[in-house]
């Protein structure tokens, strides 16, 4: 029995909202995404306001969230392939609840320290690795192949909404009850996520884990990791998408590294305007999630990715042209286009991987792609910072955004340009 046809609840008319298991999973992901988005502003706020942390400490706090991808990303994919994903997600959300609520408790006991915050950032970053991989795998277990784009669009769209509202909600909570109180609310969001996972009932699709247990070499972690990496490097479609994603991350994170000094010092934008600009970028992601299925159905999945890249990529060049006053609209339009491009592309590509990759290897392949993509984030941030130091922030903005526009050509160099739809069967047979 295939993964797509394994006993999954049949959804009613009206889309996946009536699919009970997916609906509770969707709500769980929404609550978790909102909590993570609120923590982006509340955790550093506690460090600054309550512990008077230095800029170096804040950098360490931010780096601790991403470090687990480089440390455990590859073995995490192999571990996810070995175990049922729903119990794993329950444990991870429970750990997040305990970690975030431990900060208010430590504050009440007058035992809170910077080391505590860094440890929480490191451990929640580790659970995020498992949650991201497991949730990606779980979607392909609970919905049919034809519904993958709709499912991913709903989840990614909700994440974009959380990214828009999270910092504002966190700031409002911090204003009302203090940064410590806001972190307690953050912890409660992960408790809600746990309750949603409990309420969904059990998925009866066991084809992925059953297939995995039949594979030779189980128990040899290094070999399983190597299988995932080999598939990513040998398959022309997955390899092209990985290289494109790595280059895109370099450009995006590079610009984010110099975004605030560019807007504040170079453009002279007031704080309120900066908040509106960042919100507008998130709106672009929501728009991309709303239209992606219609675009994919009309033009084909592979061709839609190419169209999104070629049509929206040039808009990123509006961002370095940003000036004060009405010139801020250039940043808003460019940012919305970039966000729509990234969100729509990720939805289509993610749906393709879920249907295309061998079910028993999906966790390893996903983790290998993410680790390879995220490994270039420090390179982009350092390069943009160095360019800004020598040539100014506007020159750095031109460099990062021009590079982002050119990353669309990577997909044109791969097999996507020759096909309308992504294939459903792997081009390369996985190595045993």
């Amino acid at each position: 029995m295939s993964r797509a046809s394994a006993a999954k609840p049949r959804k009613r008319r009206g889309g996946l909202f009536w699919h009970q298991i997916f609906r509770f999973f969707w709500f769980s992901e929404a609550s978790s995404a909102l909590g993570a988005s609120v923590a982006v502003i509340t955790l550093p706020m506690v460090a600054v306001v309550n512990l008077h942390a230095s800029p170096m400490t804040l950098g360490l706090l931010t780096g601790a969230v991403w470090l687990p991808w480089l440390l455990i990303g590859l073995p995490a994919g192999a571990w996810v392939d070995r175990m049922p994903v729903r119990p794993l997600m329950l444990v991870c959300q429970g750990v997040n609840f305990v970690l975030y609520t431990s900060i208010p408790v430590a504050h009440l006991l007058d035992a809170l320290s910077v080391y505590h915050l860094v440890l929480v950032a490191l451990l929640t970053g580790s659970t995020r690795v498992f949650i991201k991989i497991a949730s990606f795998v779980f979607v392909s277990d609970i919905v049919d192949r034809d519904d993958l784009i709709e499912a991913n669009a709903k989840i990614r769209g909700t994440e974009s909404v959380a990214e828009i509202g999270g910092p504002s909600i966190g700031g409002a909570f911090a204003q009302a009850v203090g940064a410590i109180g806001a972190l307690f609310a953050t912890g409660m969001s992960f408790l809600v996520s746990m309750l949603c996972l409990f309420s969904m009932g059990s998925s009866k699709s066991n084809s992925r884990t059953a297939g995995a247990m039949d594979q030779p070499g189980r128990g040899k972690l290094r070999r399983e990791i190597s299988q995932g990496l080999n598939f990513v490097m040998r398959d022309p479609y997955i390899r092209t998408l990985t290289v494109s994603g790595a280059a895109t991350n370099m450009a995006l994170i590079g610009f984010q590294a110099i975004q605030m000094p560019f807007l504040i010092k170079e453009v002279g934008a007031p704080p309120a305007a900066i908040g509106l600009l960042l919100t507008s970028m998130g709106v672009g992601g929501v728009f991309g999630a709303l239209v992606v299925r219609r675009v994919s159905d009309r033009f084909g999945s592979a061709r839609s990715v190419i169209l999104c890249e070629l049509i929206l990529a040039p808009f990123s060049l509006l961002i370095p042209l940003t000036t004060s006053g009405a010139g801020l609209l250039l940043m808003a339009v460019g940012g919305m286009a970039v966000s729509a491009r990234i969100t729509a592309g990720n939805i289509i590509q993610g749906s393709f991987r879920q249907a295309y990759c061998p079910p028993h290897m999906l966790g390893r392949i996903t983790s290998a792609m993410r680790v390879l993509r995220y490994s270039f984030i420090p390179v982009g941030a350092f390069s943009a910072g160095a360019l800004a130091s020598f040539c100014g922030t506007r020159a750095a903005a031109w460099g990062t955004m021009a590079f982002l526009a050119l990353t669309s050509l990577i997909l044109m160099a791969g097999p996507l340009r020759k096909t309308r739809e992504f294939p459903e069967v792997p081009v390369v047979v996985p190595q045993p």
Side-chain angles (χ1 to χ4, degrees):
M1 183 180 297
S2 68
R3 175 177 60 202
S5 62
K8 298 168 186 170
R10 181 175 298 176
K11 68 180 186 301
R12 303 174 187 175
R13 292 181 179 179
L16 286 173
F17 183 83
W18 299 109
H19 187 309
Q20 178 179 330
I21 292 179
F22 175 79
R23 184 171 67 248
F24 279 109
F25 173 67
W26 182 20
F27 294 165
S28 172
E29 288 289 285
S31 183
S32 177
L34 182 60
S37 184
V38 169
V40 168
I41 188 172
T42 53
L43 200 62
M45 194 176 294
V46 168
V48 173
V49 175
N50 296 89
L51 300 175
H52 310 289
S54 66
M56 182 66 72
T57 301
L58 291 176
L60 181 62
L61 197 60
T62 302
V65 177
W66 289 99
L67 184 60
W69 278 106
L70 302 181
L71 297 180
I72 63 170
L74 292 175
W79 290 326
V80 168
D81 281 336
R82 294 183 177 193
M83 55 185 80
V85 291
R86 179 169 168 262
L88 174 62
M89 288 188 291
L90 276 167
V91 170
C92 289
Q93 301 293 16
V95 170
N96 283 341
F97 167 70
V98 171
L99 289 171
Y100 280 117
T101 54
S102 74
I103 296 175
V105 172
H107 178 71
L108 289 174
L109 298 175
D110 198 24
L112 185 62
S113 68
V114 168
Y115 301 106
H116 189 152
L117 296 186
V118 172
L119 181 62
V120 168
L122 184 63
L123 293 179
T124 55
S126 300
T127 59
R128 186 172 177 80
V129 171
F130 285 98
I131 290 172
K132 280 295 186 181
I133 298 173
S135 62
F136 184 81
V137 170
F138 193 62
V139 171
S140 62
D141 277 347
I142 62 175
V143 304
D144 296 322
R145 181 189 296 266
D146 293 340
D147 294 322
L148 285 174
I149 289 183
E150 179 186 349
N152 287 310
K154 281 180 164 58
I155 293 172
R156 290 288 300 177
T158 303
E159 289 177 350
S160 294
V161 172
E163 290 171 0
I164 295 172
S168 299
I169 293 173
F173 265 111
Q175 182 71 30
V177 298
I180 294 290
L183 268 179
F184 179 78
T186 299
M188 295 305 295
S189 71
F190 293 103
L191 179 61
V192 172
S193 181
M194 284 182 62
L195 294 176
C196 290
L197 289 172
F198 271 120
S199 301
M200 70 169 57
S202 60
S203 170
K204 297 181 177 61
S205 175
N206 296 317
S207 59
R208 180 184 63 84
T209 53
M213 295 305 295
D214 292 337
Q215 294 300 309
R218 295 298 299 176
K220 297 181 180 179
L221 187 62
R222 184 177 301 178
R223 182 175 182 180
E224 292 168 8
I225 293 172
S226 177
Q227 289 172 340
L229 284 170
N230 284 335
F231 188 90
V232 170
M233 300 306 296
R234 294 174 64 232
D235 186 275
Y237 290 93
I238 300 298
R239 182 177 63 245
T240 300
L241 295 180
T242 301
V243 173
S244 173
T248 300
N249 281 340
M250 281 183 61
L252 285 175
I253 302 302
F255 178 72
Q256 287 180 16
I258 54 97
Q259 179 175 252
M260 285 303 168
F262 171 69
L263 290 173
I264 295 173
K265 297 181 179 180
E266 184 72 30
V267 176
I274 293 175
L276 290 175
L277 286 173
L278 298 181
T279 298
S280 69
M281 295 181 185
V283 171
V286 175
F287 176 77
L290 290 175
V291 304
V292 64
R293 176 149 196 176
R294 294 180 183 177
V295 174
S296 179
D297 288 344
R298 179 169 183 177
F299 298 103
S301 55
R303 191 169 297 169
S304 294
V305 172
I306 296 293
L307 288 175
C308 286
E309 293 286 326
L310 295 181
I311 294 174
L312 296 177
F315 282 89
S316 62
L317 298 177
L318 294 176
I319 293 176
L321 296 172
T322 302
T323 58
S324 60
L328 292 174
L329 289 175
L330 295 171
M331 177 85 169
V333 173
M336 284 190 287
V338 169
S339 183
R341 168 193 171 189
I342 299 301
T343 300
N346 284 343
I347 289 170
I348 298 175
Q349 294 175 33
S351 302
F352 158 64
R353 297 201 311 272
Q354 288 164 333
Y356 177 80
C357 297
H360 63 279
M361 293 180 62
L362 186 55
R364 281 169 279 173
I365 295 170
T366 300
S367 65
M369 289 186 69
R370 287 180 183 262
V371 168
L372 292 173
R373 286 177 166 185
Y374 293 164
S375 296
F376 287 86
I377 285 179
V379 177
F382 176 79
S383 300
L387 185 60
S389 298
F390 287 103
C391 304
T393 54
R394 190 174 293 275
W398 273 112
T400 54
M401 290 298 97
F403 185 65
L404 180 62
L406 291 174
T407 57
S408 60
L409 300 179
I410 296 176
L411 295 179
M412 294 299 295
L416 275 69
R417 71 182 189 279
K418 301 177 182 179
T419 181
R420 183 180 189 276
E421 299 282 354
F422 278 113
E424 298 183 355
V425 179
V427 175
V428 176
V429 177
Q431 291 182 345

